[in-house]
């Protein structure tokens, strides 16, 4: 069993956890004082897997929302690397997913975050004594401060009727063959992205919602 101590432990290596770590470092925090832990292999793995599943092309947020605490960082990144205007969509300037991910990767590497990331380890318990004691599948970590940043998508909520073999959660990791006729239950951003992706493949899609779109 590996034992270690850190000043700040961030549980979750998605967009929120990465943004917290980047903000901490950009505002003067020391790299050696932070650890990020996640059940996936690399930072942002789950984010990339989910946005790929629904075939997202552009974010729903504007150009000033990204992992850096500098609101202009993404636009400056696009200018430095000659990204065309099509990477910013509509009058809100929503960034393309490809450019957004490239900016994330460049920021992560520039700040040295991979060296402070523990992947492929799920947190099994957290206890608070004089410090926090975190138990994972392979190690014991003590930390002065813990931020849980696993996001809502970490737990999938599937209704009882959806236990049929033909039903699955859109973000389920289990492989399933896509059918040409599909019913999508839900009227949020994820459901709409997924429905549009299937329509673009020529599939017949029925969208079921309990509220107006």
């Amino acid at each position: 069993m590996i034992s270690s101590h850190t000043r700040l432990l961030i549980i979750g290596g998605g967009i929120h956890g990465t943004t917290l770590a980047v903000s901490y470092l950009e505002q003067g925090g020391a790299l050696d004082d932070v650890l990020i832990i996640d059940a996936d292999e690399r930072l942002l793995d789950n984010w990339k897997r989910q946005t790929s599943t629904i075939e997202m092309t552009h974010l729903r947020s504007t150009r000033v929302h990204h992992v850096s605490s500098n609101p202009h960082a993404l636009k400056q990144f696009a200018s430095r690397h000659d990204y065309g205007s099509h990477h910013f969509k509509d009058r809100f300037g929503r960034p393309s997913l490809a450019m957004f991910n490239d900016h994330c990767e460049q920021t992560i590497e520039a700040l040295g975050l991979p060296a402070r990331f523990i992947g492929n380890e799920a947190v099994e318990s957290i206890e608070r004594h004089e410090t926090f004691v975190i138990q994972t599948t392979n190690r014991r970590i003590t930390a002065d401060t813990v931020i849980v940043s696993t996001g809502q998508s970490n737990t999938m909520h599937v209704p009882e009727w959806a236990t049929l073999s033909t039903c699955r959660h859109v973000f389920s990791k289990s492989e399933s063959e896509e059918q040409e006729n599909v019913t999508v239950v839900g009227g949020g951003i994820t459901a709409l992205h997924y429905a549009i992706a299937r329509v673009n493949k020529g599939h017949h899609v029925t969208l079921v919602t309990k509220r107006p779109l």
Side-chain angles (χ1 to χ4, degrees):
M1 182 66 66
I2 303 169
S3 296
S4 60
H5 177 78
T6 186
R7 182 176 181 183
L8 171 62
L9 177 68
I10 298 173
I11 300 174
I15 291 295
H16 297 148
T18 300
T19 301
L20 285 165
V22 169
S23 179
Y24 179 77
L25 297 177
E26 288 182 339
Q27 296 182 54
L31 182 62
D32 289 343
D33 286 343
V34 62
L35 275 179
I36 309 172
I37 191 165
D38 194 276
D40 279 304
E41 185 176 357
R42 292 174 295 271
L43 286 167
L44 303 184
D45 265 4
N46 193 47
W47 159 259
K48 292 178 180 177
R49 181 169 55 248
Q50 292 186 347
T51 52
S52 174
T53 296
I54 61 175
E55 300 185 31
M56 180 189 292
T57 59
H58 289 72
L59 274 67
R60 66 174 186 256
S61 53
T62 65
R63 63 169 62 92
V64 298
H65 297 115
H66 42 73
V67 295
S68 175
S69 55
N70 170 15
H72 306 295
L74 182 59
K75 189 175 181 180
Q76 293 165 351
F77 172 82
S79 178
R80 287 196 307 271
H81 295 276
D82 297 322
Y83 281 93
S85 59
H86 65 281
H87 283 279
F88 291 105
K89 193 173 184 178
D90 61 41
R91 64 190 179 92
F92 300 107
R94 295 186 295 113
S96 71
L97 179 65
M99 179 180 63
F100 178 86
N101 285 345
D102 286 348
H103 175 248
C104 288
E105 292 295 340
Q106 190 252 16
T107 304
I108 287 168
E109 291 294 331
L111 292 174
L113 279 176
R116 304 302 295 168
F117 175 71
I118 301 170
N120 287 328
E121 290 201 27
V123 172
E124 296 182 335
S125 66
I126 304 173
E127 297 180 1
R128 186 172 186 176
H129 302 287
E130 292 184 1
T131 60
F132 289 95
V133 179
I134 298 89
Q135 191 73 44
T136 78
T137 46
N138 295 310
R139 71 189 71 221
R140 178 181 183 272
I141 304 171
T142 56
D144 298 330
T145 301
V146 174
I147 300 177
V148 179
S149 186
T150 50
Q152 292 180 329
S153 62
N154 190 56
T155 302
M156 298 178 186
H157 300 282
V158 180
E160 290 182 5
W161 54 262
T163 55
L164 297 171
S165 59
T166 53
C167 295
R168 69 179 181 89
H169 193 284
V170 66
F171 291 141
S172 171
K173 293 182 181 180
S174 60
E175 295 292 330
S176 63
E177 185 178 348
E178 288 190 349
Q179 304 295 319
E180 290 190 2
N181 293 289
V182 61
T183 299
V184 179
V185 180
I189 292 294
T190 296
L192 294 173
H193 268 295
Y194 187 67
I196 290 170
R198 297 294 296 271
V199 167
N200 288 338
K201 292 180 180 180
H203 296 171
H204 181 271
V205 179
T206 301
L207 185 65
V208 179
T209 74
K210 62 181 179 182
R211 300 184 184 90
L213 294 178

